[in-house]
């Protein structure tokens, strides 16, 4: 008696053919998926490329100091710092310039024309040639003399400009810093309580600009801080500020300022600041309004 098994029969090789077709189908699906992913990535790169060039064509400004970080929005301003040196030039001007040149950092020098720095005035030409800004401070820097009246102040500035004329174009001198700052009260003793308000208004009437500072190294105080303390003073004052105008001094008594300068530059650079002159800062702020 023969026994017949009941089931499905298949031709020889059929099972192999089915497994092959499934493997081929899987490979096709994977290939299709990768093709779609590649297409999407290509489109994404193209869109990002377009947006990048569109943004920078609208916001770019030739000077590197004016570069705006795209990630913060096209109207956002980067962190900026102006290193400013008052009362020079002096025997320390050249070392300061060498450090600035090595670090590729621009600065602003608010210069004087006192008796004790006459021999260094030719350095003003070097300051300009190296791309820094020269601005006005005072000829005499004597409060009793310059603040007794507005006429006395402008006579002092006239003398300063005359002293600087051999070394630069006078039409570039449109910025000044009042000795003691625009809010000093010492001037009241000589010219009355309204003298500074009067001088600020007259500066603007001339089409000129004045600026104070919001970070101070305190390097010209009676305490005579060393380089480490000057750096700490700046770090403390700069805390929380996105724009820093740093007051330093360029006199025969400020050797510690020269010593501190490389560390000051390094600290601001590592904190994400861009260096610029006072004039460049004003242009940047105007462009961002």
């Amino acid at each position: 008696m023969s026994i017949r098994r009941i089931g499905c029969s298949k031709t020889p090789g059929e099972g192999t053919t089915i497994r092959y077709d499934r493997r081929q189908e899987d490979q096709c699906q994977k290939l299709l998926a990768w093709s779609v992913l590649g297409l999407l990535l290509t489109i994404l790169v193209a869109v990002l490329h377009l947006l990048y060039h569109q943004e920078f064509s609208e916001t770019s400004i030739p000077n590197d100091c004016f570069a705006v970080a795209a990630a913060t929005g096209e109207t956002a301003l980067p962190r900026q710092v102006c290193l400013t040196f008052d009362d020079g030039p002096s025997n320390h001007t050249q070392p300061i310039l060498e450090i600035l040149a090595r670090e590729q950092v621009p600065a602003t020098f608010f210069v004087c024309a006192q008796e004790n720095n006459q021999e260094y005035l030719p350095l003003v030409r070097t300051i300009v040639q190296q791309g820094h800004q020269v601005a006005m401070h005072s000829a005499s820097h004597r409060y009793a003399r310059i603040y007794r009246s507005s006429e006395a102040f402008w006579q002092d500035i006239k003398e300063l400009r005359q002293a600087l004329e051999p070394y630069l174009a006078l039409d570039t001198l449109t910025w000044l810093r009042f000795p003691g700052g625009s809010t000093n009260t010492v001037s009241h003793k000589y010219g009355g309580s309204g003298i500074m308000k009067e001088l600020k208004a007259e500066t603007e009437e001339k089409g000129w600009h004045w600026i104070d500072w919001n970070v101070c190294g305190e390097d010209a105080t009676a305490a005579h801080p060393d380089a480490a303390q000057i750096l700490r003073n700046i770090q403390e004052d700069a805390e929380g500020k996105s724009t820093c105008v740093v007051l330093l001094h360029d006199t025969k008594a400020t050797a510690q300022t020269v010593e501190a300068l490389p560390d000051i530059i390094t600290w601001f650079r590592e904190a994400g600041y861009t260096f610029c002159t006072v004039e460049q800062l004003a242009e940047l702020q105007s462009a961002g309004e």
Side-chain angles (χ1 to χ4, degrees):
M1 179 177 174
S2 63
I3 300 175
R4 185 171 65 179
R5 299 179 182 275
I6 301 175
C8 296
S9 65
K10 54 186 177 183
T11 59
E14 182 181 358
T16 302
T17 302
I18 293 173
R19 286 195 297 273
Y20 172 79
D21 290 343
R22 287 176 180 172
R23 186 165 60 248
Q24 187 177 42
E25 183 179 352
D26 290 342
Q27 290 176 344
C28 290
Q29 290 177 345
K30 290 180 180 179
L31 180 61
L32 179 61
W34 280 110
S35 298
V36 172
L37 180 60
L39 179 61
L40 291 175
L41 287 174
T42 301
I43 295 173
L44 178 61
V45 169
V47 171
L48 291 175
H49 181 78
L50 178 62
L51 290 176
Y52 175 88
H53 284 283
Q54 180 180 3
E55 171 149 3
F56 279 89
S57 65
E58 293 173 352
T59 63
S60 61
I61 303 176
N63 194 303
D64 289 342
C65 292
F66 303 144
V68 177
T72 60
E74 63 181 20
T75 60
L77 298 180
R79 304 180 89 184
Q80 298 283 344
V81 56
C82 299
L83 298 181
T84 69
F85 297 88
D86 283 13
D87 301 347
S90 75
N91 58 319
H92 290 128
T93 304
Q94 188 60 44
I96 290 172
L97 289 174
E98 291 172 1
I99 294 170
L100 295 175
R102 184 174 69 244
E103 298 293 338
Q104 293 294 290
V105 167
T108 303
F109 291 78
F110 289 91
V111 299
C112 293
Q114 304 175 74
E115 293 181 3
N116 60 5
N117 72 338
Q118 289 291 324
E119 64 179 296
Y120 300 107
L121 284 181
L123 284 171
V124 168
R125 181 184 291 113
T126 305
I127 293 171
V128 173
Q129 290 173 343
Q130 294 190 6
H132 305 292
Q133 179 184 355
V134 174
M136 299 173 285
H137 196 35
S138 173
S140 68
H141 209 286
R142 296 176 183 171
Y143 286 24
R145 174 182 171 182
I146 65 177
Y147 286 136
R148 67 175 184 262
S149 67
S150 65
E151 291 80 7
F153 180 85
W154 294 118
Q155 177 60 35
D156 179 86
I157 294 298
K158 180 180 179 180
E159 293 172 7
L160 173 63
R161 292 172 68 86
Q162 290 173 341
L164 297 177
E165 189 172 12
Y167 312 111
L168 47 61
L170 290 182
D171 59 2
T172 64
L173 289 177
T174 59
W175 283 83
L176 68 84
R177 173 174 284 161
F178 299 107
S182 68
T183 59
N184 81 82
T185 56
V186 178
S187 59
H188 300 176
K189 176 181 177 181
Y190 308 106
S193 60
I195 184 66
M196 294 313 303
K197 181 179 179 180
E198 184 178 355
L199 290 176
K200 286 186 285 187
E202 290 174 350
T203 300
E204 294 168 2
E205 288 171 5
K206 292 176 179 291
W208 292 357
H209 317 279
W210 56 270
I211 189 169
D212 290 326
W213 59 89
N214 62 355
V215 175
C216 184
E218 300 182 23
D219 56 338
T221 63
H224 300 295
D226 61 15
Q229 184 60 54
I230 292 171
L231 176 61
R232 285 195 293 271
N233 292 339
I234 288 174
Q235 291 170 332
E236 291 174 3
D237 276 4
E239 184 177 358
K241 295 181 174 69
S242 60
T243 300
C244 296
V245 179
V246 182
L247 173 61
L248 295 166
H249 291 82
D250 173 17
T251 71
K252 64 179 182 180
T254 54
Q256 290 298 307
T257 302
V258 180
E259 185 174 340
L261 186 55
D263 289 335
I264 293 171
I265 292 172
T266 297
W267 185 80
F268 274 111
R269 184 169 280 151
E270 291 180 348
Y273 287 84
T274 299
F275 295 90
C276 61
T277 66
V278 164
E279 188 171 34
Q280 289 169 343
L281 177 64
E283 291 174 3
L284 172 62
Q285 291 177 334
S286 295
E289 290 177 354

